[in-house]
Amino acid sequence: MPASPRSFVVHAVDNVATLLDRAEAGATITVLGDGHVTQIEAREVIEPGHKIALCAIAADQPIIKFGVRIGRATRDIAPGQWVHLNNCASFLDERSSTLDLHSGAATDTRYA
Amino acid sequence: MPEWTSTTWSGYLRPDGSKGVRDIVLVIYTVECARHVAHAIAQGETDTHVIGFPGCYDNQYAVNLMLALARHPNVGAVLAVGLGCEYTQPKKLAEVVRASGRLADWFYIQDLGGTRPSVEHGKRIVRQMRDQLRATTPRVPMTVADLSIGCECGGSDGTSGLAGNPVVGALFDRIVDAGGIAIFEEVVEMIGLRDVLAQRAATPEARQQLVATYDKAEAYCRSVRQWSVSPGNFAGGLTTIEEKSMGAFAKSGSRPIQGVIKVSQRPPGPGLWLLDSVPDPHYMQFGYTNPNDTEGIMDLIAAGCQLVLFVTGRGSVIGSPISPLIKVTGNSHTYRRMHEDMDFDAGRVLSGELTLHQAADELGQLVVQVASGMPSKPESLGHREYFIMYKHQDTPSLEVGCRA
């Protein structure tokens, strides 16, 4: 039985944690740091450095990390879901929601 | 207060009252054509560093930067070397440095008859200056209260915002509480944090400065439609510029921000300061904000920092002239892989080996050791990268922001 994947919460009011290890779908993740939960089940594969929702976040509600709004939910997010470009948008950078979900590559630049 | 903040070590007292942690002879070239001769002069000479400006046409921003570096607390003597036909005047540089009470000399390569006689002449001057410094520079007790310390980050990954920068932020809090100066920069990586920045202002004037500095940087980013976040950042898990900004901003710690200084100005008092390196509007629209990590480090040194911390996640192998660079990584894997280049492993906060506050105190002890004379890893490896470029900033008088 491999050790439980770890995640880290920066601020007590954050609604996301950052993965320190890769988590498989269904894995029980240990939550370190300042959060109110100590464990959460991953609903999908989440890579290290990426974020997991610690609670349900409704569409248009802020994503909170470091105790501040780092973006807004573009759809309803369930606890344990991966929070990234497909469900969280910048308040400023209009390109952030157009990038490739996995590589981060721009999709709005023409190469032909 | 942690014990290391009251440790005393022996520094170097300059005639202008500033205190250095190194006693450097600085060779400055005033055009690319003099670069080889300047480096050949410094080659093999102890405590002799080189900076220079490649342009033939001069630039007020670059001259200000060279003068700030030449009168740095860690610098005791300066030799300015020109070719002989460039706009920037080595004689003027030497005069200003001499007026600060430091040793200074200058020459043109064309007057001396070429490379070999110039290198020989330069080496004679540098050795005389160094001998004189060793014999005459007064030693003086120093503590953290006499330190200006800067922080830059580069090669960031997911650990930088979680461990590397927060540990430096906690260190900054301790340095400010002990009466020292802490300086952070990279305003384009504070985008999205207008309110957070404004709330940290120490005074209404500081708030006004912070908001104006923020607005200039956001306007810059909007105008070029470029936010300081890259595909590699997104692939690494950062979703928005706001998220990246907050990770970078963590290095400022939690103390009130006293105000904003521009490049080549020194903070007028103790506490935490923001350094603005974003170009001001100018008819030529030239100068990038942060073209590379070395530029930011030079800006921090020009602000009088006797030591600079560099936070990296992925790893970096740069150093700096004049002031030692201390490399901090939040990624323990990077630390193990590049341990000859990395000074401090802040990743132990994420593994649970250390608390944030224990890590900050351990880093503080390392800062005191390096200030006391122990070479940092980049210093030991001989890294002295520098970068001075054309830029425009409105700085009517450098003396306004300078401490006597």
Side-chain angles (χ1 to χ4, degrees):
Chain A
M1 175 82 186
S4 162
R6 299 164 306 150
S7 71
F8 190 88
V9 183
V10 186
H11 197 287
V13 304
D14 291 358
N15 55 16
V16 291
T18 305
L19 273 287
L20 302 179
D21 305 304
R22 179 187 157 93
E24 301 296 337
T28 301
I29 297 169
T30 304
V31 183
L32 306 168
D34 272 341
H36 295 300
V37 295
T38 54
Q39 280 192 336
I40 183 126
E41 188 178 317
R43 290 189 177 236
E44 52 200 312
V45 172
I46 308 177
E47 298 289 341
H50 287 253
K51 295 173 290 300
I52 185 169
L54 294 173
C55 56
I57 305 167
D60 277 331
Q61 289 301 302
I63 308 296
I64 313 274
K65 182 179 169 181
F66 304 104
V68 301
R69 306 182 316 160
I70 61 156
R72 99 190 138 74
T74 53
R75 60 184 72 175
D76 290 343
I77 301 172
Q81 250 187 311
W82 178 30
V83 176
H84 201 37
L85 302 164
N86 60 326
N87 54 20
C88 169
S90 168
F91 292 102
L92 292 162
D93 178 3
E94 72 275 16
R95 287 185 91 184
S96 77
S97 299
T98 70
L99 303 166
D100 181 82
L101 176 60
H102 295 278
S103 69
T107 57
D108 57 353
T109 304
R110 288 186 308 277
Y111 287 85
Chain B
M1 295 278 265
E3 207 180 313
W4 60 269
T5 58
S6 51
T7 304
T8 300
W9 67 90
S10 175
Y12 301 90
L13 181 65
R14 303 301 166 202
D16 59 14
S18 64
K19 297 175 183 176
V21 302
R22 296 289 186 271
D23 204 20
I24 302 294
V25 177
L26 188 65
V27 181
I28 304 179
Y29 61 87
T30 47
V31 64
E32 182 68 12
C33 320
R35 176 190 167 98
H36 174 85
V37 166
H39 278 276
I41 289 168
Q43 179 70 38
E45 304 295 334
T46 52
D47 297 331
T48 304
H49 296 180
V50 181
I51 61 161
F53 179 61
C56 177
Y57 189 68
D58 61 359
N59 173 248
Q60 191 62 57
Y61 169 92
V63 168
N64 291 347
L65 194 43
M66 284 189 280
L67 287 175
L69 293 167
R71 293 177 292 178
H72 188 278
N74 290 351
V75 173
V78 168
L79 171 63
V81 180
L83 174 64
C85 37
E86 66 272 32
Y87 272 90
T88 306
Q89 299 171 54
K91 179 171 183 244
K92 294 271 191 196
L93 294 181
E95 282 170 3
V96 172
V97 172
R98 211 173 284 137
S100 77
R102 289 170 176 77
L103 307 173
D105 206 340
W106 73 279
F107 67 83
Y108 279 133
I109 295 166
Q110 287 168 347
D111 292 342
L112 284 180
T115 303
R116 195 187 45 77
S118 296
V119 173
E120 284 175 6
H121 182 64
K123 277 189 174 288
R124 263 197 308 276
I125 294 172
V126 162
R127 286 170 189 168
Q128 277 169 9
M129 284 176 163
R130 203 180 50 222
D131 291 346
Q132 199 177 331
L133 281 184
R134 293 232 166 113
T136 61
T137 306
R139 301 303 297 262
V140 62
M142 282 181 79
T143 67
V144 170
D146 301 303
L147 270 189
S148 281
I149 191 156
C151 181
E152 174 87 6
C153 60
S156 300
D157 71 3
T159 66
S160 300
L162 295 184
N165 288 327
V167 167
V168 169
L171 176 78
F172 267 24
D173 286 354
R174 286 155 169 74
I175 286 171
V176 167
D177 293 347
I181 294 175
I183 308 174
F184 66 110
E185 64 126 16
E186 298 171 291
V187 185
V188 287
E189 290 182 5
M190 290 162 210
I191 296 302
L193 308 182
R194 192 178 196 268
D195 296 342
V196 177
L197 255 181
Q199 281 161 15
R200 288 276 300 279
T203 62
E205 294 76 26
R207 186 187 168 92
Q208 209 171 22
Q209 288 175 13
L210 287 168
V211 168
T213 302
Y214 175 89
D215 287 345
K216 181 181 76 165
E218 194 184 301
Y220 169 88
C221 292
R222 272 189 205 286
S223 69
V224 295
R225 210 173 162 241
Q226 170 71 63
W227 309 87
S228 187
V229 58
S230 69
N233 294 145
F234 294 120
L238 296 176
T239 306
T240 63
I241 178 64
E242 294 94 320
E243 179 180 10
K244 183 176 175 183
S245 291
M246 206 54 206
F249 187 62
K251 63 179 172 295
S252 70
S254 65
R255 297 300 180 255
I257 302 168
Q258 302 299 322
V260 179
I261 54 166
K262 284 192 167 178
V263 175
S264 301
Q265 291 180 321
R266 285 191 201 170
L272 179 67
W273 295 82
L274 173 63
L275 169 61
D276 172 23
S277 65
V278 177
D280 287 332
H282 184 265
Y283 69 96
M284 282 173 75
Q285 290 300 344
F286 68 103
Y288 293 90
T289 65
N290 288 77
N292 56 43
D293 294 332
T294 292
E295 200 228 19
I297 292 165
M298 296 307 290
D299 292 347
L300 289 165
I301 296 172
C305 294
Q306 299 110 320
L307 292 165
V308 177
L309 301 165
F310 185 78
V311 179
T312 178
R314 300 173 66 85
S316 163
V317 295
I318 55 170
S320 49
I322 303 171
S323 299
L325 192 69
I326 298 174
K327 293 251 188 57
V328 177
T329 180
N331 187 327
S332 296
H333 178 65
T334 297
Y335 183 80
R336 284 191 293 273
R337 200 160 34 82
M338 299 179 72
H339 65 94
E340 288 179 20
D341 287 273
M342 295 296 139
D343 290 286
F344 191 81
D345 177 13
R348 289 172 294 163
V349 171
L350 296 178
S351 66
E353 211 177 309
L354 289 179
T355 67
L356 184 72
H357 297 291
Q358 287 168 335
D361 283 326
E362 196 182 300
L363 181 57
Q365 286 159 16
L366 178 66
V367 162
V368 167
Q369 285 172 339
V370 172
S372 311
M374 186 186 88
S376 72
K377 297 267 179 81
E379 265 187 306
S380 296
L381 289 165
H383 279 290
R384 288 171 197 163
E385 289 85 344
Y386 57 88
F387 189 80
I388 297 176
M389 65 170 208
Y390 287 106
K391 195 183 274 194
H392 173 76
Q393 281 197 325
D394 298 318
T395 43
S397 167
L398 290 182
E399 300 306 320
V400 171
C402 284
R403 255 204 301 196

